[in-house]
Amino acid sequence: MKETISVIGTGNMGAAISERLIRCGYDVTIFNRTAERLQSLVAIGAKVAGTAVEAINASEFAMIVLLDEKAIREAVVNGLGDADISAKRLMSVSYTSLNEIISLEKTFNRSGARLSEVSIMGYPDQILAAEARFVLAGPRQDFDSWLGIFMQLGQRVDYVGECGNATKAEMANWLSYALQMISIAYPAAVYKREGLPLSVLSGIFTDNPNKRIPGADVAISSMGDREYKPRFTVGAFLASIDIVIDYTRSQGMPASLYEGVREVYQLAADRGLGNSDVSAIFEVLYDTSGLHSQSSLGSGPNNWLPKSVQG
């Protein structure tokens, strides 16, 4: 008998998780409020639930792959009512603050379910190739079962204790991740503007052990072609960065650096690039026309920097 699992939310990440689990032999039930996102998964064997609660009750395990806490409450919690979801094991694959994930845990506990959470280090294509890495938190009694599922999706799973700890780890990891594409896009824009071959920069970030940035070769290729097939979108980044900024402040650390990063991404979204890959911030830095009217980007020797991080 096939193991059953449900996936609520079939955006880029939810679709990749669903497809990978189907191909690994799981009986997968999916729910998404936008029906057209379901068809490609139905074609390879997914079953469709009419509501999020129906999806939860269709399987012993359910992954909630929605953008944030607000989306979880709108799509799942608000539909619970008096539904019996006791003994169901749920996994949050969403961007939440520490307070939000703890509040969601209490909400689902009241309905008899047990909530875990995961921080994913990887893009949808890495899920499909089972190359991602995961940090899980939640009830210890559920970890072994979730471990078996996530090892179908990646190479390593770490358990960090009670629900909330994966969010703490994700926030700490984001302090580095938030700077990763910025660290690639700024020099790439200068290379392009100065007529230098981007292949040289790609080689430096790929081959030099002192300057290596994971994924730089893919990002620079996208920037060179100026085609930004989404792995992680500008809009998704913006949905996350405010949580990171708040977390940074809660740690008593200066947050102005991340406010400047947010400004660059917001400028990209304002140019209609919200659904493009994060590498699309290159467009803001390469073509700076109109920046003076859009933002606080200044003039002079440091006009590449957002005002909040200018000297």
Side-chain angles (χ1 to χ4, degrees):
M1 182 177 178
K2 289 184 178 180
E3 292 187 79
T4 62
I5 188 165
S6 294
V7 178
I8 298 169
T10 56
N12 292 335
M13 183 61 75
I17 289 172
S18 300
E19 180 178 341
R20 176 66 187 172
L21 290 174
I22 290 168
R23 298 196 185 283
C24 287
Y26 284 80
D27 188 338
V28 177
T29 297
I30 55 176
F31 169 76
N32 195 76
R33 287 181 292 182
T34 306
E36 55 264 28
R37 286 185 174 269
L38 304 174
Q39 299 311 310
S40 62
L41 295 170
V42 171
I44 61 172
K47 300 174 182 177
V48 177
T51 66
V53 174
E54 183 181 323
I56 290 172
N57 280 321
S59 308
E60 185 178 0
F61 299 91
M63 292 190 189
I64 304 173
V65 196
L66 299 172
L67 181 60
D68 53 20
E69 185 254 2
K70 180 182 177 182
I72 293 175
R73 293 199 176 276
E74 290 177 351
V76 184
V77 174
N78 291 349
L80 283 176
D82 296 326
D84 180 14
I85 58 170
S86 57
K88 298 297 182 180
R89 285 174 275 189
L90 311 180
M91 177 65 67
S92 171
V93 191
S94 305
Y95 303 109
T96 59
S97 68
L98 181 59
N99 289 336
E100 288 170 344
I101 193 64
I102 291 174
S103 175
L104 286 168
E105 180 187 31
K106 292 177 179 177
T107 296
F108 286 117
N109 283 351
R110 286 194 294 269
S111 296
R114 298 198 299 268
L115 181 68
S116 298
E117 55 161 346
V118 63
S119 173
I120 299 178
M121 276 137 295
Y123 293 108
D125 58 319
Q126 293 170 307
I127 294 287
L128 290 170
E131 295 174 347
R133 179 169 178 165
F134 310 93
V135 175
L136 265 65
R140 184 63 183 84
Q141 69 207 83
D142 295 334
F143 173 66
D144 287 343
S145 296
W146 283 116
L147 174 63
I149 294 169
F150 278 98
M151 285 304 294
Q152 302 292 334
L153 305 174
Q155 298 179 337
R156 178 168 178 141
V157 181
D158 292 300
Y159 177 69
V160 293
E162 65 185 7
C163 198
N165 283 352
T167 291
K168 293 176 184 177
E170 180 154 9
M171 291 300 100
N173 294 338
W174 255 87
L175 298 181
S176 173
Y177 175 73
L179 305 176
Q180 181 174 316
M181 194 58 65
I182 286 283
S183 299
I184 299 169
Y186 268 76
V190 174
Y191 263 66
K192 187 76 171 177
R193 290 165 68 94
E194 297 289 0
L196 300 171
L198 285 174
S199 58
V200 173
L201 182 64
S202 182
I204 291 170
F205 283 157
T206 302
D207 301 331
N208 188 321
N210 297 317
K211 296 183 179 294
R212 186 173 295 142
I213 301 177
D217 54 340
V218 176
I220 292 173
S221 177
S222 295
M223 295 170 189
D225 295 337
R226 301 182 80 174
E227 295 181 0
Y228 307 103
K229 183 179 179 180
R231 301 174 87 197
F232 187 71
T233 68
V234 169
F237 184 99
L238 284 170
S240 308
I241 191 63
D242 285 338
I243 295 176
V244 175
I245 290 171
D246 289 344
Y247 181 77
T248 305
R249 290 174 180 149
S250 76
Q251 295 292 311
M253 298 175 178
S256 58
L257 174 62
Y258 297 99
E259 291 168 351
V261 170
R262 188 194 191 286
E263 182 178 1
V264 174
Y265 278 85
Q266 186 61 57
L267 287 168
D270 292 344
R271 290 195 182 185
L273 297 168
N275 291 323
S276 298
D277 185 73
V278 287
S279 54
I281 62 170
F282 171 84
E283 294 296 326
V284 172
L285 304 173
Y286 175 60
D287 178 7
T288 59
S289 60
L291 287 188
H292 298 293
S293 63
Q294 294 183 53
S295 75
S296 58
L297 293 184
S299 59
N302 61 356
N303 67 337
W304 286 96
L305 296 174
K307 182 178 179 181
S308 56
V309 295
Q310 287 177 22

